[in-house]
Amino acid sequence: MNTTYIKYNAMSWLKCLAMLLILAIVAPCDLDAAPKRKTKKKKYTTQELENMFLTFDWGGGLYTYTYDVKGDGQKNMKPGGTFNVCFQQFFYSGMGYCAGIGASYYGAATTFSALEEVAVTDRLVHAYDKEFDNVQQPEPETFTYRTYFNTVSERQHLVQLEVPVMAMYKLKNMTEMWDFTVGAGVRLGVPLMKKYKLTDGMYETRGYFESTNVEYNNLEQHGFTTKSDKKTGKSNLNPVTCNLCLDAGFNYHWTRNKTIYFGLYFSYCITNVAKSSSSGIVSVDDQSYNGVLGSQLVDNAHLMGAGAKVQLCLDFVRVQSMFKKGSARKVNARSKRSVRSMF
């Protein structure tokens, strides 16, 4: 037997036994000492609590889709809004951050006239032709399925759950009642309600066969019809969006324990909202309307929000006093701010 192997194996066993011996000695001692240890929790100073805020904001303005429809189209921006609950913290340098959760509503309307073409291979295209009655398996034929949209109006609606994360800066040493804050960051979104509604217009489906060089219409058995449905359905959107956002405004120290923020904001989705799809706006199978977003007529769609908002800010001394009795804050009688506030 190889002596080197025996020596190596013996050393490995000795190391394992040594480790087990150490654990057997140390572990009981550590367990005895464990109950005596006290968990150290970080205690924030009153000044730190004065500059940590729970905020509630409401905003409104243009919250809409932006995209181009192939063909002749006209897009109309629609109003929308947002609501968020966030945590803010500022440091002595004036820098800070914000994170929270909220929801936003986006809307848009599009009126367009266009031609959509889809190549289709159909085995049953000759099923109604008498000359093929005695043919058990007629040869499939490829033709171009065309949809003519004539002044079709579609309305889009989107309610999105959003998670804002922002870096912020507060300008110090302004007036007693006012200060200025700016912020920049991202908003990650997940669509909760995404739907479209066909409100007006009509579309006609036809079939162009290269074999006969004829475009056929008004043949319902082949799916070549004219419709003017008031269709409602789900938009074909991606499950996650990423929005860049900017925010700037003034804080007004309304009372001793409340601050009101008035500001402007702008956000733009840098990711493509519309899910890529090879399907058309109108299904070849049943001629149903599926919506513009995610179809061949729209390659890219983005979300945009711009408007004004108002925000209620409660510092954490105030928040704690809402849950604890007898924790009134010390406030300078001549000032709307706490004497401990770094701002």
Side-chain angles (χ1 to χ4, degrees), residues 104-119:
S104 299
Y105 166 76
Y106 298 84
T110 303
T111 302
F112 64 97
S113 298
L115 170 62
E116 183 180 59
E117 296 183 325
V118 180

Side-chain angles (χ1 to χ4, degrees), residues 2-244:
N2 192 340
T3 57
T4 304
Y5 173 78
I6 296 174
K7 183 178 180 180
Y8 177 80
N9 198 31
M11 290 299 295
S12 298
W13 278 105
L14 286 174
K15 289 180 181 180
C16 291
L17 290 174
M19 290 296 298
L20 290 174
L21 183 61
I22 293 171
L23 289 173
I25 295 172
V26 174
C29 298
D30 192 61
L31 290 173
D32 292 337
K36 299 177 182 179
R37 294 175 183 170
K38 294 183 179 180
T39 304
K40 293 184 178 180
K41 295 183 178 179
K42 177 177 173 55
K43 291 185 177 180
Y44 291 99
T45 65
T46 305
Q47 188 181 45
E48 289 176 324
L49 292 174
E50 291 275 356
N51 296 283
M52 299 165 60
F53 301 91
L54 181 65
T55 68
F56 306 86
D57 68 71
W58 300 264
L62 287 178
Y63 260 62
T64 186
Y65 291 94
T66 61
Y67 56 83
D68 292 324
V69 181
K70 297 175 183 177
D72 183 16
Q74 179 181 358
K75 297 177 294 297
N76 295 317
M77 295 183 177
K78 295 296 182 180
T82 184
F83 172 76
N84 304 276
V85 180
C86 298
F87 168 79
Q88 292 182 3
Q89 183 175 9
F90 288 93
F91 306 100
Y92 188 77
S93 62
M95 296 298 298
Y97 66 92
C98 168
I101 190 169
S104 299
Y105 166 76
Y106 298 84
T110 303
T111 302
F112 64 97
S113 298
L115 170 62
E116 183 180 59
E117 296 183 325
V118 180
V120 178
T121 300
D122 191 357
R123 289 183 174 274
L124 302 177
V125 70
H126 298 296
Y128 299 94
D129 296 341
K130 293 182 179 181
E131 59 181 297
F132 291 94
D133 286 347
N134 297 325
V135 180
Q136 293 182 354
Q137 293 183 347
E139 288 293 325
E141 185 166 352
T142 300
F143 66 96
T144 303
Y145 189 85
R146 293 176 174 175
T147 305
Y148 293 86
F149 298 97
N150 184 17
T151 320
V152 173
S153 296
E154 181 182 315
R155 185 78 160 87
Q156 292 99 26
H157 305 272
L158 172 64
V159 175
Q160 184 166 252
L161 179 70
E162 296 182 339
V163 178
V165 179
M166 300 180 68
M168 307 183 73
Y169 178 75
K170 181 178 286 188
L171 184 62
K172 301 188 293 183
N173 300 323
M174 292 188 68
T175 66
E176 177 184 335
M177 303 292 292
W178 294 88
D179 53 41
F180 181 72
T181 303
V182 295
V186 297
R187 298 176 70 93
L188 299 178
V190 177
L192 297 178
M193 187 273 287
K194 47 181 182 178
K195 71 176 185 178
Y196 64 83
K197 184 177 182 181
L198 184 61
T199 58
D200 196 10
M202 56 179 287
Y203 58 90
E204 182 182 4
T205 57
R206 302 179 185 180
Y208 171 73
F209 291 80
E210 189 175 358
S211 59
T212 59
N213 195 26
V214 176
E215 185 180 64
Y216 297 93
N217 62 342
N218 295 325
L219 296 175
E220 188 172 356
Q221 67 272 26
H222 292 291
F224 306 146
T225 60
T226 300
K227 290 191 176 183
S228 57
D229 298 340
K230 298 298 185 290
K231 176 72 174 178
T232 299
K234 290 185 178 180
S235 298
N236 192 19
L237 303 181
N238 284 314
V240 179
T241 64
C242 180
N243 303 267
L244 298 181

Side-chain angles (χ1 to χ4, degrees), residues 244-302:
L244 298 181
C245 53
L246 299 172
D247 201 315
F250 291 91
N251 295 291
Y252 174 69
H253 299 277
W254 178 30
T255 67
R256 296 176 179 179
N257 46 35
K258 299 183 185 69
T259 299
I260 304 296
Y261 171 88
F262 305 94
L264 300 176
Y265 62 88
F266 176 81
S267 68
Y268 184 79
C269 182
I270 58 175
T271 58
N272 185 10
V273 177
K275 186 183 296 184
S276 59
S277 174
S278 59
S279 63
I281 300 178
V282 174
S283 295
V284 176
D285 297 331
D286 57 3
Q287 297 79 53
S288 62
Y289 187 88
N290 299 317
V292 171
L293 296 176
S295 71
Q296 295 179 348
L297 288 185
V298 174
D299 293 329
N300 293 281
H302 300 271

